Amino acid sequence: MSRKRVVIIGGVAGGATLAARLRRVDEQAEIILLERGEHISFANCGLPYHVGGVVAERGSLFLSSPQTLQTRYRIDVRTGHEAVRIHRDTQEVEVCARTTGVTYRLGYDHLVLATGAEPIRPPIHGRDLDLVFTLRTISDMDRIIAAAERHPGERAVVVGAGFIGLEIAENLHHRGLQVTLVEMMDQVLPKRLDRDMAALLHQHLRSQGIDLRLRQQVSGFFARERGGLTVELGSGDALNASLAVLAVGIRPEAKLAAEAGLALGPRGGVLVDDQLLTSDPHISAVGDVAEVPAFGGGTTWVPLAGPAQRQGRLAADQIAGLPIQYTGIQGTGIVKVFALTAAFTGKTEATLKREGEPFHSIVVWPSSNAAYYPGASQMALKLHFGPKGEILGAQAVGASGVDKRIDVIATALRLGATVDDLAALELCYAPPYSTPKDPVNVAGYAAGNVIRGEEVVTWRDVMQRDPITTVLLDVREPAERASDRIPDSLHIPLGQLRNRLDELPRDKKIIVYCAVGLRAHIAVRILEQNGFQAANLTGGMRLYAPVRDDLKLVGA
Ligand code: FAD
C-alpha cells in the first residue's frame, strides 16, 4: 500500500473513530489528527449526566487519550492545533498551534473534515453574559457545574427542548436546582416526535416539577446586581436564575469548508456522496459537519454519535481503497426524560405531511413485559406506514422496553419490511422481558388491520369532527367513564354492545373509543359486521386526554 498522508481535522466521535479504523486497515499511512481543544475522543453524550452527578467520575468521560492513539495506533495527535484554512490548490492545511500562536502549513494527500457542529447562540440580549452557557465541551460542562454549585437550590433556565435541552434540564434538576424549560415551539423534541407523543413527555416533565414553558421565547438575559441573572420571556415574565443554558440547536461547523469552496447542502453541512467524499475527491467529511445521503433518497443532517462513528469507519475504508457504500441516515434516536424514554426512527408525521405521500398511523399501548411481572408498564407505540404496509417511521414513549422495540422497528425499516413482517417477527419472550405478542407484533397487527380496511382516526380527527355526520361512542365501563370522557359521546360498554345496536345511528360514522384502542377495535369489528360505518380512535383515551389537556395549557 502507498504511504499517503491523511490529515484529520477534529478528534472526537467522527475524527477519532476514523483515525483508529484507518490504522487498522492501512498500516503504512501517515495519520495526523488535529484537534483544537485539549481533549480528543471524549464522551460529549455523557456531559449532561456528569452535570447531574449520575456519571460521578469526570475522568470516565475521557474515552481515549492522545497517548493511546499514539502508542496503539501510531497516530500523530496534535491537540491545541486548529486548522484555520484549507488550500485545496496545493493540498495543504494551515494550522495554528494555539498555545504559541505559531502557524504552519501541513500538506495532505487526503483530508478529512470531522469538525462537528457548534451550538447556536441566537441574537438575544445578554447571551454573552458569564452565566449564560452552551454545552458542547468538557470545559462548558465544568463551568455549568461550577455555576450550579455556587447557587444550590436556585433556578436554572434552559432554553430549547431538543435532546440536549431535555437532558441538561433533567440533570440540573437532579443537582437540586429548580428548572424552567423554555421552548419556542408548542412541543418538546419538535423535529423528532409527533405532537401527541410529545404531550406524554410534557405531562411527565410537569409531574417531575419542571416548569415547562412552551410557545415561549426568551427576550433577554440581564445580570443582577448581587449576582445571578434575570431571564425575561416574551410573555413579560421575568425569572430570577443562577444560570441559563442555551440549547436552541446546533449548526454544522462548516466555515473552513465554505471558505475552501466546498459544496454545502441546504442545511449548511458539507455535502458528501455515498463515498463520504465532498465536492473535492481529496477531501472527505464525516459526522455533524456533513450533510449526507438520507436512507430512501435525498440528503439529510442528523447530528448524532452513531452516524458520526459509522461514517468515520466507512470513510477510513474508502481512504484505504476498500469498496464502501454509505446507505444513508434514517434518523433513529432516543432520549431519557426522567422516568420515561422517548425513541424514534424514520419519518415523523410532520415530515410525511410535508412530503405529501399518503400514509396511515396507529398508536397502540402494549405492555413492556408480562403485566403480572414486577416492573411492567405500558408504552405508547406509534407506527407510520404507507398504503402497502411499508414502514415509514415509528415512535415510542414509555417507562421500559422502548429502546428495544424501536431498535427492532428501525432494523425492519432498514431492511424494507412491511407491517405484516412486524406481525410475523418471532421475538424473544419470557415474562420479565416481553409478552407472547411482543409490542412490535401488536403494532404490526394493528397496522395490518388498517391495511385490510379498518378505519382508524386520530385525536385531531375527533377534535375536528363534524357532529352532523359522526357520533362518538365510548365502550368503556361506567367507572372509567366517570373519571373522564369526551363530551357528547354515547356510552355503551363493550359487553352490552351486541344487544344495544338499535340505539346507534346507521346514517352516521361511529367513532369508537376506549382506554387504549383494544376494546374499540373489537367494537368496530362488531359494528362493521352489523352494517354500521365505524372507526377506532387510535391510542384511545390514554393518548387523547393528555393531548387535550396539553392543548388547553399550551394552546392549539
Ligand atoms: P464532535 O464530536 O463535535 O467533534 C468535533 C471536534 O472537532 C471538536 O472537538 C472540535 O473542537 C474539533 N474542531 C472543530 N473545528 C476544528 C478546527 N478547525 N481545527 C481543529 N479541530 C477542530 N448523540 C447521540 O447519538 N446520543 C446522545 O445521547 C447525544 N448526546 C449529546 C449530548 C451533548 C451534550 C452533546 C454536545 C452532543 C450529544 N450527541 C449525542 C451528539 C454527538 O455527540 C455528536 O453527534 C457527535 O459527537 C458528532 O461527532 P463529530 O466528530 O462530528 O463532532
Side-chain angles (χ1 to χ4, degrees):
M1 279 190 200
S2 63
R3 179 175 161 81
K4 59 179 157 190
R5 179 187 280 176
V6 179
V7 174
I8 303 163
I9 309 176
V12 188
T17 303
L18 188 145
R21 171 71 181 174
L22 183 56
R23 174 56 73 229
R24 292 197 293 273
V25 292
D26 187 347
E27 187 57 21
Q28 302 306 319
E30 183 187 3
I31 307 171
I32 302 174
L33 184 67
L34 301 172
E35 168 54 56
R36 69 176 171 210
E38 275 177 73
H39 308 287
I40 59 152
S41 196
F42 65 92
N44 9 28
C45 309
L47 300 178
Y49 299 100
H50 184 59
V51 170
V54 179
V55 174
E57 272 299 312
R58 181 178 180 275
S60 66
L61 298 173
F62 300 105
L63 305 176
S64 190
S65 67
Q67 292 70 29
T68 310
L69 282 193
Q70 268 150 5
T71 50
R72 187 174 297 171
Y73 295 102
R74 201 162 41 82
I75 291 164
D76 177 354
V77 180
R78 303 186 189 179
T79 52
H81 285 235
E82 179 169 14
V84 290
R85 184 148 311 168
I86 299 167
H87 299 277
R88 286 170 54 199
D89 47 349
T90 54
Q91 293 195 195
E92 287 177 309
V93 186
E94 207 172 308
V95 184
C96 173
R98 287 179 126 191
T99 43
T100 57
V102 171
T103 300
Y104 61 97
R105 282 188 176 216
L106 190 60
Y108 64 82
D109 297 304
H110 198 92
L111 181 68
V112 179
L113 295 170
T115 49
E118 60 189 337
I120 295 171
R121 281 184 169 261
I124 300 173
H125 177 87
R127 66 179 175 172
D128 295 322
L129 289 172
D130 284 349
L131 292 172
V132 180
F133 301 95
T134 54
L135 180 58
R136 181 185 184 188
T137 63
I138 295 278
S139 52
D140 294 337
M141 175 190 78
D142 291 340
R143 284 196 296 268
I144 292 173
I145 292 173
E149 272 171 358
R150 277 197 300 276
H151 307 276
E154 289 191 10
R155 179 165 299 281
V157 176
V158 176
V159 190
F163 288 110
I164 295 176
L166 285 169
E167 288 175 355
I168 195 68
E170 175 176 342
N171 281 287
L172 287 168
H173 179 87
H174 281 325
R175 270 203 97 84
L177 281 95
Q178 302 166 54
V179 176
T180 297
L181 178 57
V182 183
E183 166 59 53
M184 186 174 80
M185 306 296 283
D186 64 352
Q187 67 165 93
V188 301
L189 291 171
K191 291 186 196 142
R192 311 282 170 201
L193 275 190
D194 293 348
R195 183 68 181 81
D196 46 5
M197 302 299 272
L200 303 173
L201 296 182
H202 300 168
Q203 196 182 43
H204 186 60
L205 283 162
R206 292 185 187 110
S207 77
Q208 299 298 307
I210 298 292
D211 172 26
L212 180 63
R213 311 278 185 112
L214 298 170
R215 288 185 141 189
Q216 296 267 340
Q217 294 197 48
V218 170
S219 52
F221 301 102
F222 300 89
R224 276 188 290 156
E225 262 179 31
R226 285 204 265 139
L229 294 168
T230 298
V231 184
E232 283 190 5
L233 304 185
S235 62
D237 284 1
L239 308 166
N240 286 337
S242 51
L243 69 118
V245 180
L246 279 173
V248 298
I250 56 175
R251 67 165 79 88
E253 196 152 340
K255 188 162 164 269
L256 275 179
E259 285 172 357
L262 296 176
L264 302 186
R267 299 160 193 87
V270 182
L271 213 50
V272 296
D273 59 14
D274 65 2
Q275 299 299 299
L276 297 162
L277 290 171
T278 65
S279 51
D280 180 333
H282 298 288
I283 305 179
S284 308
V286 298
D288 290 1
V289 74
E291 208 163 312
V292 300
F295 179 70
T299 63
T300 190
W301 183 62
V302 181
L304 289 173
Q309 296 205 5
R310 242 182 323 281
Q311 291 159 21
R313 183 183 164 90
L314 279 174
D317 287 0
Q318 194 281 331
I319 294 164
L322 299 172
I324 69 153
Q325 192 185 14
Y326 185 62
T327 52
I329 296 188
Q330 71 193 60
T332 305
I334 189 161
V335 62
K336 175 180 178 302
V337 183
F338 290 88
L340 291 182
T341 300
F344 39 83
T345 188
K347 294 177 181 173
T348 60
E349 183 181 314
T351 306
L352 289 164
K353 282 186 174 161
R354 203 170 44 243
E355 291 179 352
E357 294 296 323
F359 69 98
H360 304 284
S361 312
I362 54 103
V363 180
V364 288
W365 284 92
S367 187
S368 57
N369 55 300
Y372 53 81
Y373 192 86
S377 62
Q378 284 177 297
M379 69 183 77
L381 177 55
K382 185 170 192 177
L383 199 59
H384 297 305
F385 49 100
K388 294 190 184 122
E390 55 276 34
I391 303 164
L392 301 173
Q395 306 175 9
V397 173
S400 64
V402 160
D403 49 350
K404 158 164 136 168
R405 275 57 189 226
I406 291 299
D407 276 346
V408 170
I409 298 174
T411 309
L413 193 162
R414 174 69 55 161
L415 299 178
T418 66
V419 297
D420 286 336
D421 294 320
L422 295 185
L425 283 179
E426 184 180 325
L427 301 169
C428 48
Y429 163 66
Y433 305 107
S434 183
T435 49
K437 280 182 206 151
D438 188 87
V440 172
N441 300 137
V442 173
Y445 293 139
N449 289 337
V450 173
I451 297 298
R452 279 174 278 284
E454 179 169 321
E455 191 184 347
V456 291
V457 297
T458 67
W459 56 272
R460 207 177 264 115
D461 299 323
V462 168
M463 286 177 192
Q464 295 168 354
R465 77 187 183 281
D466 177 359
I468 312 272
T469 54
T470 57
V471 289
L472 278 170
L473 173 63
D474 181 354
V475 293
R476 296 172 304 158
E477 295 303 310
E480 294 172 273
R481 185 169 171 82
S483 71
D484 194 6
R485 71 175 76 170
I486 305 177
D488 304 324
S489 52
L490 304 173
H491 180 224
I492 305 177
L494 178 62
Q496 302 172 18
L497 184 61
R498 287 188 183 86
N499 298 327
R500 294 176 59 185
L501 292 174
D502 53 356
E503 295 174 32
L504 295 170
R506 289 191 176 270
D507 57 343
K508 293 187 179 186
K509 186 201 282 187
I510 302 169
I511 297 177
V512 190
Y513 74 93
C514 64
V516 296
L518 182 58
R519 281 172 289 175
H521 164 64
I522 299 167
V524 166
R525 301 305 307 139
I526 294 170
L527 290 171
E528 285 195 332
Q529 291 179 64
N530 281 281
F532 292 90
Q533 194 201 342
N536 183 353
L537 168 60
T538 195
M541 260 323 253
R542 187 139 180 212
L543 187 67
Y544 182 88
V547 177
R548 174 201 61 199
D549 297 347
D550 199 52
L551 291 176
K552 267 188 213 148
L553 272 176
V554 180

Coordinates of all heavy atoms in Angstrom, one line a residue, residues 8-16 34-37 39-40 42-49 81-84 114-117 135-137 163-164 167 250 253 256 286-290 302-309 332 334, ligand 1:
I8 N -6.6 14.7 9.5 CA -8.0 14.7 10.0 C -8.2 15.9 10.9 O -7.4 16.1 11.8 CB -8.3 13.4 10.8 CG1 -8.0 12.1 10.0 CG2 -9.7 13.4 11.3 CD1 -7.8 10.9 10.8
I9 N -9.2 16.7 10.6 CA -9.5 17.9 11.4 C -10.7 17.6 12.3 O -11.8 17.4 11.9 CB -9.8 19.1 10.5 CG1 -8.7 19.3 9.5 CG2 -9.9 20.3 11.4 CD1 -9.0 20.5 8.5
G10 N -10.4 17.5 13.6 CA -11.4 17.2 14.6 C -11.2 15.8 15.2 O -11.1 14.8 14.5
G11 N -11.1 15.7 16.5 CA -10.6 14.5 17.1 C -11.6 13.9 18.1 O -11.2 13.3 19.1
V12 N -12.9 14.0 17.8 CA -13.8 13.3 18.7 C -14.5 12.2 18.0 O -13.9 11.3 17.4 CB -14.8 14.4 19.4 CG1 -15.6 13.8 20.5 CG2 -13.9 15.5 20.0
A13 N -15.9 12.1 18.0 CA -16.6 10.9 17.5 C -16.2 10.5 16.1 O -15.7 9.4 15.9 CB -18.1 11.1 17.6
G14 N -16.4 11.4 15.2 CA -16.1 11.0 13.8 C -14.6 10.9 13.5 O -14.1 9.9 13.0
G15 N -13.8 11.9 13.9 CA -12.4 12.0 13.6 C -11.6 10.9 14.3 O -10.8 10.2 13.6
A16 N -11.8 10.7 15.6 CA -11.0 9.7 16.3 C -11.4 8.3 15.8 O -10.5 7.4 15.7 CB -11.3 9.8 17.8
L34 N -5.7 16.6 14.0 CA -5.6 17.9 14.5 C -6.9 18.2 15.4 O -8.0 17.9 14.9 CB -5.6 19.0 13.4 CG -4.5 18.9 12.4 CD1 -4.8 19.9 11.3 CD2 -3.2 19.2 13.1
E35 N -6.7 18.6 16.6 CA -7.8 18.9 17.5 C -7.5 20.2 18.2 O -6.5 20.3 18.9 CB -8.1 17.8 18.5 CG -9.0 18.1 19.6 CD -10.4 18.6 19.2 OE1 -11.1 17.9 18.4 OE2 -10.8 19.7 19.6
R36 N -8.4 21.2 18.0 CA -8.1 22.5 18.6 C -8.2 22.5 20.1 O -7.7 23.3 20.8 CB -8.9 23.6 17.9 CG -10.4 23.5 18.3 CD -11.2 24.6 17.8 NE -12.6 24.2 18.0 CZ -13.6 24.5 17.3 NH1 -13.4 25.2 16.2 NH2 -14.8 24.1 17.6
G37 N -9.1 21.6 20.6 CA -9.3 21.6 22.0 C -8.2 20.8 22.8 O -7.3 20.3 22.2
H39 N -8.8 18.0 24.6 CA -9.1 16.6 24.7 C -9.5 16.0 23.3 O -10.2 16.7 22.5 CB -10.3 16.4 25.6 CG -10.1 17.1 27.0 ND1 -9.2 16.6 27.9 CD2 -10.7 18.2 27.5 CE1 -9.2 17.4 28.9 NE2 -10.1 18.4 28.7
I40 N -9.2 14.8 23.1 CA -9.7 14.1 22.0 C -10.7 13.0 22.5 O -10.6 12.7 23.7 CB -8.7 13.4 21.1 CG1 -7.9 12.4 22.0 CG2 -7.7 14.4 20.5 CD1 -7.3 11.3 21.2
F42 N -13.6 12.4 23.7 CA -14.4 12.5 25.0 C -15.8 12.2 24.7 O -16.3 12.3 23.6 CB -14.2 13.8 25.7 CG -14.7 15.0 25.0 CD1 -16.0 15.4 25.3 CD2 -14.0 15.7 24.1 CE1 -16.6 16.5 24.7 CE2 -14.5 16.8 23.5 CZ -15.8 17.2 23.7
A43 N -16.5 11.8 25.8 CA -17.9 11.4 25.6 C -18.9 12.6 25.7 O -19.4 12.9 26.8 CB -18.3 10.4 26.7
N44 N -19.1 13.3 24.6 CA -19.9 14.5 24.7 C -21.3 14.1 25.1 O -22.0 14.9 25.9 CB -20.0 15.4 23.4 CG -19.4 14.8 22.2 OD1 -19.3 13.5 22.1 ND2 -19.0 15.6 21.3
C45 N -21.8 12.9 24.8 CA -23.1 12.5 25.1 C -23.2 12.3 26.6 O -24.4 12.3 27.2 CB -23.4 11.1 24.4 SG -23.1 11.2 22.7
G46 N -22.1 12.1 27.3 CA -22.2 11.9 28.8 C -22.1 13.2 29.6 O -22.4 13.2 30.8
L47 N -21.9 14.3 28.9 CA -21.7 15.6 29.6 C -22.9 15.9 30.5 O -22.7 16.3 31.7 CB -21.4 16.8 28.7 CG -20.2 16.6 27.8 CD1 -20.1 17.9 26.8 CD2 -18.9 16.5 28.6
P48 N -24.1 15.9 30.0 CA -25.3 16.2 30.9 C -25.3 15.4 32.1 O -25.7 15.9 33.2 CB -26.5 16.0 30.0 CG -26.0 16.0 28.6 CD -24.6 15.5 28.7
Y49 N -24.9 14.1 32.0 CA -25.1 13.2 33.1 C -24.0 13.4 34.2 O -24.3 13.0 35.3 CB -25.1 11.7 32.6 CG -26.2 11.5 31.7 CD1 -26.1 11.6 30.3 CD2 -27.5 11.4 32.1 CE1 -27.1 11.5 29.4 CE2 -28.6 11.3 31.3 CZ -28.4 11.3 29.9 OH -29.5 11.3 29.1
H81 N -4.2 22.3 18.3 CA -3.8 22.7 17.0 C -5.1 22.9 16.2 O -5.8 21.9 16.0 CB -2.9 21.7 16.3 CG -1.5 21.7 16.8 ND1 -0.4 21.9 16.1 CD2 -1.0 21.7 18.1 CE1 0.7 21.9 16.8 NE2 0.3 21.7 18.1
E82 N -5.3 24.1 15.7 CA -6.5 24.4 15.0 C -6.2 24.6 13.5 O -5.3 25.4 13.1 CB -7.1 25.7 15.6 CG -8.4 26.1 14.8 CD -9.2 27.2 15.5 OE1 -8.6 27.9 16.5 OE2 -10.3 27.4 15.2
A83 N -7.0 23.9 12.7 CA -6.9 24.2 11.2 C -7.6 25.5 10.9 O -8.8 25.7 11.3 CB -7.6 23.0 10.5
V84 N -6.9 26.4 10.3 CA -7.5 27.7 10.1 C -7.8 28.0 8.6 O -8.6 28.9 8.3 CB -6.7 28.9 10.7 CG1 -6.7 28.9 12.2 CG2 -5.2 28.8 10.2
A114 N -13.9 16.6 10.2 CA -14.7 16.0 11.3 C -14.8 17.0 12.4 O -14.6 16.8 13.5 CB -14.0 14.7 11.8
T115 N -15.2 18.2 11.9 CA -15.2 19.4 12.8 C -16.5 19.5 13.6 O -16.6 20.4 14.5 CB -15.0 20.7 12.0 OG1 -15.9 20.7 10.9 CG2 -13.6 20.8 11.5
G116 N -17.5 18.7 13.4 CA -18.7 18.7 14.3 C -19.6 19.8 14.0 O -19.7 20.4 12.9
A117 N -20.4 20.1 15.1 CA -21.4 21.2 15.0 C -21.3 22.1 16.2 O -20.9 21.6 17.3 CB -22.8 20.6 14.9
L135 N -23.6 23.9 25.9 CA -22.9 22.7 26.3 C -22.4 21.9 25.1 O -23.2 21.3 24.4 CB -23.9 21.8 27.2 CG -23.3 20.5 27.7 CD1 -22.1 20.7 28.6 CD2 -24.4 19.7 28.5
R136 N -21.1 21.9 24.9 CA -20.5 21.1 23.9 C -19.3 20.4 24.4 O -19.0 19.3 24.0 CB -20.2 21.9 22.7 CG -19.6 21.1 21.5 CD -19.2 21.9 20.4 NE -18.7 21.1 19.3 CZ -18.1 21.6 18.2 NH1 -18.0 22.8 18.0 NH2 -17.7 20.7 17.2
T137 N -18.5 21.1 25.2 CA -17.2 20.6 25.6 C -17.1 20.3 27.1 O -18.0 20.7 27.9 CB -16.1 21.6 25.2 OG1 -16.4 22.8 26.1 CG2 -16.1 22.0 23.8
F163 N -32.9 17.4 22.3 CA -32.2 16.4 23.1 C -31.4 17.0 24.3 O -31.5 16.6 25.4 CB -31.1 15.7 22.3 CG -31.6 14.7 21.3 CD1 -31.4 15.0 19.9 CD2 -32.1 13.5 21.7 CE1 -31.9 14.1 19.0 CE2 -32.5 12.6 20.7 CZ -32.4 12.9 19.4
I164 N -30.5 17.9 23.9 CA -29.6 18.5 24.9 C -30.3 19.3 26.0 O -30.1 19.2 27.2 CB -28.5 19.3 24.2 CG1 -27.6 18.3 23.4 CG2 -27.6 20.0 25.3 CD1 -26.5 19.0 22.5
E167 N -32.0 16.9 28.3 CA -31.0 16.1 29.2 C -30.4 17.1 30.2 O -30.3 16.7 31.4 CB -29.9 15.5 28.3 CG -30.4 14.3 27.5 CD -29.4 13.8 26.6 OE1 -28.3 14.3 26.4 OE2 -29.7 12.8 25.9
I250 N -28.0 23.4 17.0 CA -26.6 23.4 16.6 C -26.5 23.6 15.1 O -27.6 23.4 14.4 CB -25.8 22.1 17.0 CG1 -26.5 20.9 16.4 CG2 -25.7 22.0 18.5 CD1 -25.8 19.6 16.7
E253 N -20.3 22.9 11.7 CA -19.1 23.8 11.8 C -18.4 23.7 10.5 O -17.4 23.0 10.3 CB -18.2 23.4 13.0 CG -17.3 24.5 13.3 CD -16.8 24.5 14.7 OE1 -17.4 24.0 15.6 OE2 -15.7 25.1 14.9
L256 N -14.6 26.4 7.5 CA -13.4 26.1 6.8 C -13.8 25.5 5.4 O -13.1 25.9 4.4 CB -12.7 24.9 7.5 CG -11.7 25.2 8.6 CD1 -11.2 23.9 9.1 CD2 -10.6 26.1 8.1
V286 N -17.2 13.8 7.7 CA -17.9 12.8 8.5 C -18.5 13.5 9.7 O -18.0 14.5 10.2 CB -17.1 11.6 8.9 CG1 -16.5 10.8 7.7 CG2 -15.9 12.0 9.8
G287 N -19.6 12.9 10.2 CA -20.1 13.4 11.5 C -21.0 14.6 11.3 O -21.6 14.9 10.2
D288 N -21.1 15.4 12.4 CA -22.1 16.5 12.5 C -21.8 17.6 11.4 O -22.7 18.4 11.1 CB -22.0 17.2 13.8 CG -22.6 16.3 14.9 OD1 -23.0 15.1 14.6 OD2 -22.6 16.7 16.1
V289 N -20.6 17.7 10.9 CA -20.3 18.7 9.9 C -20.9 18.3 8.5 O -21.0 19.2 7.6 CB -18.8 19.0 9.8 CG1 -18.1 17.8 9.0 CG2 -18.5 20.3 9.1
A290 N -21.2 17.0 8.3 CA -21.5 16.5 7.0 C -23.0 16.4 6.7 O -23.8 16.1 7.6 CB -20.9 15.2 6.8
V302 N -28.4 14.7 10.4 CA -28.8 14.1 11.7 C -27.6 14.1 12.6 O -26.8 13.1 12.5 CB -29.4 12.7 11.5 CG1 -29.9 12.2 12.9 CG2 -30.6 12.8 10.6
P303 N -27.4 15.1 13.4 CA -26.1 15.2 14.2 C -26.2 14.3 15.4 O -26.5 14.8 16.5 CB -26.1 16.7 14.5 CG -27.5 17.1 14.6 CD -28.2 16.3 13.6
L304 N -25.9 13.0 15.2 CA -25.8 12.1 16.3 C -24.6 11.3 16.3 O -23.9 11.1 15.2 CB -27.1 11.2 16.3 CG -28.4 11.8 16.6 CD1 -29.5 10.9 16.4 CD2 -28.4 12.3 18.1
A305 N -24.2 10.7 17.4 CA -23.0 10.0 17.6 C -22.9 8.7 16.7 O -21.8 8.4 16.2 CB -22.7 9.7 19.0
G306 N -24.0 8.0 16.7 CA -23.9 6.7 15.9 C -23.6 6.9 14.5 O -22.6 6.3 13.9
P307 N -24.3 7.8 13.8 CA -24.0 8.1 12.4 C -22.5 8.6 12.2 O -21.8 8.2 11.3 CB -25.0 9.2 12.0 CG -26.2 8.9 12.8 CD -25.6 8.4 14.1
A308 N -22.1 9.5 13.2 CA -20.7 10.0 13.1 C -19.7 8.9 13.1 O -18.7 8.9 12.3 CB -20.5 11.0 14.2
Q309 N -19.9 8.0 14.0 CA -18.9 6.9 14.1 C -19.0 6.0 12.9 O -17.9 5.5 12.4 CB -19.1 6.2 15.5 CG -18.8 7.1 16.6 CD -18.4 6.3 17.9 OE1 -18.2 5.1 17.9 NE2 -18.3 7.0 19.0
T332 N -32.7 7.5 13.6 CA -33.1 6.7 14.8 C -32.4 7.4 16.0 O -31.2 7.7 16.0 CB -32.5 5.3 14.7 OG1 -33.0 4.7 13.5 CG2 -33.0 4.4 15.9
I334 N -32.9 8.3 20.6 CA -33.5 8.0 21.9 C -33.1 9.1 22.9 O -32.0 9.6 22.8 CB -33.1 6.6 22.3 CG1 -33.9 6.1 23.6 CG2 -31.6 6.5 22.6 CD1 -33.8 4.6 23.8
Ligands
FAD1 P1 -17.6 16.5 17.6 O1 -17.8 15.3 18.5 O2 -18.3 17.8 17.9 O3 -16.1 16.7 17.4 C1 -15.6 17.7 16.5 C2 -14.3 18.2 17.0 O4 -13.7 19.0 16.0 C3 -14.4 19.1 18.3 O5 -13.6 18.5 19.4 C4 -13.8 20.4 17.8 O6 -13.0 21.1 18.8 C5 -12.9 20.0 16.7 N1 -12.7 21.0 15.7 C6 -13.6 21.8 15.1 N2 -13.0 22.7 14.2 C7 -11.7 22.4 14.3 C8 -10.6 23.0 13.6 N3 -10.7 24.0 12.8 N4 -9.4 22.5 13.9 C9 -9.2 21.6 14.8 N5 -10.2 21.0 15.5 C10 -11.5 21.4 15.2 N6 -25.6 11.9 20.1 C11 -26.2 10.8 20.3 O7 -26.3 10.0 19.4 N7 -26.8 10.4 21.5 C12 -26.7 11.3 22.6 O8 -27.2 10.9 23.7 C13 -26.0 12.5 22.4 N8 -25.9 13.4 23.5 C14 -25.2 14.5 23.3 C15 -25.1 15.4 24.4 C16 -24.4 16.6 24.3 C17 -24.3 17.5 25.4 C18 -23.8 16.9 23.0 C19 -23.0 18.1 22.8 C20 -23.9 16.0 21.9 C21 -24.6 14.9 22.1 N9 -24.8 14.0 21.0 C22 -25.5 12.8 21.2 C23 -24.3 14.3 19.7 C24 -22.9 13.7 19.4 O9 -22.1 13.9 20.5 C25 -22.4 14.2 18.1 O10 -23.3 13.8 17.1 C26 -21.0 13.6 17.8 O11 -20.1 13.9 18.8 C27 -20.5 14.2 16.5 O12 -19.2 13.8 16.3 P2 -18.3 14.7 15.4 O13 -17.0 14.0 15.4 O14 -18.9 15.0 14.1 O15 -18.2 16.1 16.1

